[in-house]
Amino acid sequence: MKKIFLMIFLCCPLMILAQQQVFSVQVKIEHLENPSTARAYLRYSSNGKPALDSAKMSAGQFEFNGHVSEPCRAELSIAHSGTSSKTDEPDVLSLYLEKGHILVRAKDSLKHAEVQGPTLNSQHALYKKIVFDTERELQSVRSQWSKINVKDSTTRPLNDQLAARYKAGLITRKQFQIAFIKEHPDYEFSALLLSEVTGPLIDLEKTEPLYNGLGKAVRQSASGLTIGRAIALAKATSVGSMAPDFSQVDMNGRLITLTDLRGKYVFIDFWASWCSPCRAENPFVSKAHHDFKGKDFIVIGISLDKDKKAWQKAIEEDGLAYTQILDPRIPGHELARKYGISAIPQNFLIDPSGKIIGRNIHGADLHTKLQQIFDL
């Protein structure tokens, strides 16, 4: 029995590795300026953790090897002088890390590179042709934006013009993305694209039909399962659902259990000290707490801070007098995961029965909503 256990234990690393997407990226550029000093960088995220790899040119090419937990988007860039600089013209290419060999070919830079690789990169190449003009327009706006001082009142007309162009470009791109997903339901890339279209705040009415329209094999792929889980979480925390229960100690050492608060309206606010939009919301949440705390209304702030001192300082600076909980970092923001939080600020309003009756109520809208509830 001991021998069997030892064999299983020794095999575990191999089993885990087998579940990973082992990739290799080969970058060949025919006429690279300063090949002896140039350095390539590969940025991506695996298991929610950012990763950065770099390589020098060897035998006329750059090469990267690694593994990711599931297929993911990556940014490949080349610093022709050896180090990236804000003044350098960006030489960047988006690609997808997936199981297998990925070949990037270019004449002199990544801007017009061609990517050859397994399934996702081939499908991505087709998508890029469709949105080429739109992406070029968005890049043009970004380039012009970088050259003006948006705080200078004399540039306001140009800034407003650029903002309008950028908004129109984003709308056009989203239309192309949705059309691509519908036209290619059997592409795994469509599942990845759907994740990009929905963003961190999933609109179930628009997202779920697109997801259900994907082929069965795509929904069961790594990319499909990821967006599927996100949709399931969004449904579990949508208006009308019962709020996920939790028990956590607050900053004063008291155990806070959500089900113990039945009979009261509870406003759960996910925030962090480093999140500027969150800090801008704090005065509105504080006012709601002050004005309605005597009417069976409770506010619970749940912070995603990693720095406890920064969290405590922000509470003091913003005068937050309501219950505060620091979301446990191990196994990784437990409460945020329960509520499907991937971006902040986000919030939930829960009625006395424990049902979610509102979410992402921001600014003065929170006060208005509570006035309606308490008939004031």
Side-chain angles (χ1 to χ4, degrees):
M1 190 66 163
K2 289 181 180 179
K3 290 181 180 179
I4 294 174
F5 177 80
L6 182 60
M7 286 179 65
I8 294 174
F9 181 78
L10 291 174
C11 287
C12 278
L14 297 177
M15 292 168 64
I16 292 171
L17 187 60
Q19 296 171 358
Q20 302 288 314
Q21 303 277 327
V22 179
F23 67 84
S24 66
V25 180
Q26 189 178 19
V27 185
K28 293 185 176 181
I29 300 181
E30 294 178 15
H31 308 292
L32 183 66
E33 187 179 351
N34 303 321
S36 60
T37 59
R39 182 176 286 271
Y41 296 88
L42 186 67
R43 292 175 174 84
Y44 58 98
S45 179
S46 182
N47 274 327
K49 297 179 180 179
L52 172 63
D53 197 1
S54 65
K56 287 185 176 181
M57 178 168 275
S58 176
Q61 65 184 30
F62 302 99
E63 189 166 347
F64 298 92
N65 295 282
H67 62 269
V68 289
S69 55
E70 59 186 37
C72 67
R73 187 168 184 166
E75 182 184 88
L76 176 67
S77 62
I78 293 180
H80 293 266
S81 61
T83 57
S84 58
S85 169
K86 290 183 178 180
T87 58
D88 290 342
E89 186 70 21
D91 191 8
V92 182
L93 173 73
S94 291
L95 50 82
Y96 284 86
L97 301 181
E98 56 181 323
K99 184 178 180 180
H101 180 67
I102 302 162
L103 175 62
V104 179
R105 288 182 177 274
K107 288 189 175 181
D108 54 7
S109 72
L110 295 176
K111 294 177 184 177
H112 307 105
E114 184 179 291
V115 182
Q116 299 174 357
T119 308
L120 284 174
N121 284 288
S122 298
Q123 295 169 358
H124 182 222
L126 174 60
Y127 165 75
K128 285 202 298 183
K129 290 179 181 179
I130 295 172
V131 296
F132 178 79
D133 289 338
T134 303
E135 291 291 358
R136 185 169 57 180
E137 163 69 0
L138 290 172
Q139 179 56 44
S140 173
V141 173
R142 286 192 291 264
S143 178
Q144 292 180 68
W145 246 331
S146 68
K147 297 173 184 176
I148 66 172
N149 181 1
V150 295
K151 294 182 180 180
D152 185 346
S153 60
T154 62
T155 65
R156 183 172 296 174
L158 177 58
N159 182 57
D160 291 344
Q161 182 187 49
L162 292 174
R165 282 176 57 192
Y166 199 74
K167 183 178 180 180
L170 291 177
I171 292 172
T172 301
R173 184 175 68 180
K174 191 166 187 176
Q175 291 171 342
F176 279 129
Q177 290 171 329
I178 292 173
F180 186 94
I181 292 167
K182 290 179 177 180
E183 292 171 12
H184 301 90
D186 296 324
Y187 279 15
E188 184 177 353
F189 176 72
S190 292
L192 277 168
L193 193 57
L194 181 55
S195 295
E196 183 178 327
V197 169
T198 59
L201 302 177
I202 293 179
D203 184 335
L204 286 171
E205 287 188 12
K206 295 178 181 179
T207 304
E208 197 167 18
L210 289 171
Y211 175 75
N212 291 336
L214 297 175
K216 183 178 179 181
V218 174
R219 293 197 305 273
Q220 293 178 346
S221 68
S223 306
L225 291 172
T226 297
I227 183 65
R229 285 191 294 268
I231 290 172
L233 264 175
K235 290 179 74 172
T237 56
S238 62
V239 173
S241 301
M242 297 300 291
D245 192 24
F246 61 81
S247 291
Q248 291 294 341
V249 175
D250 72 1
M251 68 180 301
N252 296 315
R254 296 176 302 172
L255 182 65
I256 305 297
T257 300
L258 186 59
T259 51
D260 288 347
L261 301 177
R262 293 285 171 85
K264 301 178 184 294
Y265 285 90
V266 181
F267 185 74
I268 299 178
D269 182 40
F270 285 90
W271 74 292
S273 67
W274 43 261
C275 169
S276 297
C278 302
R279 302 291 292 272
E281 286 291 323
N282 282 345
F284 296 101
V285 180
S286 288
K287 179 173 174 54
H289 164 72
H290 178 269
D291 292 351
F292 298 96
K293 63 182 178 181
K295 299 183 178 294
D296 289 330
F297 175 69
I298 293 175
V299 177
I300 301 176
I302 300 178
S303 171
L304 305 190
D305 274 292
K306 295 181 179 180
D307 186 334
K308 188 174 181 178
K309 289 184 178 179
W311 169 59
Q312 292 171 332
K313 182 180 178 182
I315 292 172
E316 183 179 350
E317 287 178 346
D318 294 0
L320 308 183
Y322 45 87
T323 299
Q324 291 290 339
I325 293 173
L326 188 61
D327 196 6
R329 290 180 59 195
I330 300 174
H333 296 313
E334 179 183 332
L335 302 186
R337 289 197 304 167
K338 272 191 174 184
Y339 279 80
I341 303 298
S342 57
I344 50 176
Q346 287 199 60
N347 58 61
F348 300 83
L349 181 59
I350 302 166
D351 74 5
S353 71
K355 185 182 295 184
I356 297 172
I357 60 171
R359 61 176 300 178
N360 296 325
I361 310 170
H362 297 298
D365 290 343
L366 175 58
H367 206 274
T368 302
K369 178 71 172 179
L370 294 172
Q371 283 181 319
Q372 294 171 352
I373 287 174
F374 295 112
D375 196 24
L376 296 177

